[in-house]
Amino acid sequence: MTGVVIVTGAGGAIGEAVCKAFAAAGHQIVAIDVRRPDPMGDDTIFVDIDLNRYCLDPEYRDTSNARLHDAVRGRHLAALINNAAVQIVKPSAALTTDDWSRTLNVNLLAPFLLTQELLDELTASHGAVVNISSIHAMQTKPEFVAYATSKAALNGLTRSLAVDLGGRVRVNSISPAAIDTPMLREGFAGQEKLLDQLGQMHPAGRIGEPGEVAALTVFLASDATAFMTGTDIALDGGIGARLRDPL
Ligand SMILES: NC(=O)c1ccc[n+]([C@@H]2O[C@H](COP(=O)([O-])OP(=O)(O)OC[C@H]3O[C@@H](n4cnc5c(N)ncnc54)[C@H](O)[C@@H]3O)[C@@H](O)[C@H]2O)c1
């Protein structure tokens, strides 16, 4: 059944693709971000919420919740997509408590608090929560300690919420490997050869596309996956299965 889908981080590259895919499937989008999505679908309702402040400031959270409920306005809430994230890349020695707090708030606590706040609406509509995690939940690299830890915990949250909520609301996550976004490309500016190499390291021979994350998100929120909950799906071009050895 179509209805309202709430997407956090809707102003980012993957968020934009997710909003587009749900809108194409006939859903009304409620977009959450600190920046206005651009482009934004005609029917999209934008609710600017800073998810870090949402976790820290109870008064701000109450006001934001009221705006969110108003945006849903008693309609069928088909899904909550927790896609917003911050990624702080630093060596361990330089990570501050503020880095940790911001990362854990936006990437982990906000998905929980939003699910908790929307539980009545999600329960009434047999809705779904899809958490956009990362390959970093399982495999990481230097300087990703806070981000990778938050994503590992997000996968833990996915499992534990699924168990706790039982048949009321399904909760699943997606763990993408490298996805071709402007931010990823910026990181490889002037080193396009390395970006090609990154693609070749994936058994699929390339990195992923935002639309591929979006399509899987729509699938996980649909009735086709009604028996699926507490699961994480790797969307990684096979890199998670690839054994790296010198032979
Ligand atoms: N791009 C990749 O290669 C990749 C790979 C694996 C997983 N992911 C995951 O996909 C998701 C989307 O990533 P993306 O590449 O589109 O990143 P992005 O940075 O383009 O988008 C993230 C969005 O979250 C928003 N956001 C950040 N802090 C916020 C806050 N305090 N309050 C509200 N909104 C806030 C940002 O404004 C931004 O629009 C993230 O969860 C990320 O971890 C991305």
Side-chain angles (χ1 to χ4, degrees):
M1 198 206 280
T2 56
V4 176
V5 175
I6 298 177
V7 180
T8 73
I14 293 174
E16 182 189 327
V18 168
C19 291
K20 225 169 131 183
F22 275 109
H27 295 283
Q28 156 102 60
I29 309 300
V30 173
I32 296 179
D33 207 303
V34 282
R35 54 174 164 161
R36 194 179 181 81
D38 180 24
M40 190 168 90
D42 290 341
D43 287 344
T44 298
I45 301 172
F46 175 51
V47 185
D48 60 312
I49 300 177
D50 176 342
L51 292 170
N52 185 41
R53 191 168 165 205
Y54 182 87
C55 293
L56 295 170
D57 176 347
E59 262 180 49
Y60 179 79
R61 185 158 64 244
D62 286 347
T63 317
S64 303
N65 285 338
R67 293 170 66 214
L68 210 46
H69 289 300
D70 192 41
V72 177
R73 260 183 257 116
R75 287 171 295 169
H76 176 92
L77 179 59
L80 164 67
I81 314 303
N82 289 305
N83 167 71
V86 290
Q87 184 183 81
I88 296 170
V89 181
K90 278 185 183 178
S92 293
L95 273 178
T96 65
T97 51
D98 182 60
D99 292 334
W100 272 108
S101 154
R102 212 148 51 86
T103 304
L104 293 176
N105 282 341
V106 177
N107 299 9
L108 178 66
L109 184 54
F112 171 75
L113 291 176
L114 287 170
T115 306
Q116 187 184 50
E117 181 61 31
L118 296 163
L119 205 48
D120 287 347
E121 286 97 326
L122 286 168
T123 301
S125 60
H126 292 293
V129 174
V130 181
N131 294 322
I132 307 302
S133 186
S134 166
I135 191 169
H136 283 269
M138 301 295 288
Q139 293 171 284
T140 192
K141 54 187 187 181
E143 304 197 353
F144 280 77
V145 174
Y147 179 74
T149 302
S150 74
K151 293 298 191 178
L154 184 62
N155 287 13
L157 178 71
T158 301
R159 284 193 302 275
S160 18
L161 271 178
V163 170
D164 193 50
L165 300 182
R168 288 197 284 163
V169 179
R170 296 185 304 109
V171 188
N172 293 292
S173 61
I174 299 174
S175 288
I179 302 297
D180 195 351
T181 58
M183 196 195 278
L184 183 97
R185 283 195 173 267
E186 267 168 40
F188 283 86
Q191 304 182 86
E192 281 70 21
K193 258 198 176 155
L194 290 184
L195 189 58
D196 285 346
Q197 270 180 34
L198 177 66
Q200 292 311 316
M201 286 171 129
H202 293 70
R206 63 172 178 88
I207 61 173
E209 295 293 334
E212 292 175 310
V213 181
L216 185 54
T217 306
V218 172
F219 180 61
L220 281 179
S222 76
D223 290 344
T225 57
F227 191 52
M228 195 182 278
T229 192
T231 295
D232 177 68
I233 299 188
L235 184 69
D236 68 356
I239 198 167
R242 175 74 164 87
L243 177 65
R244 299 230 153 250
D245 67 20
L247 281 178

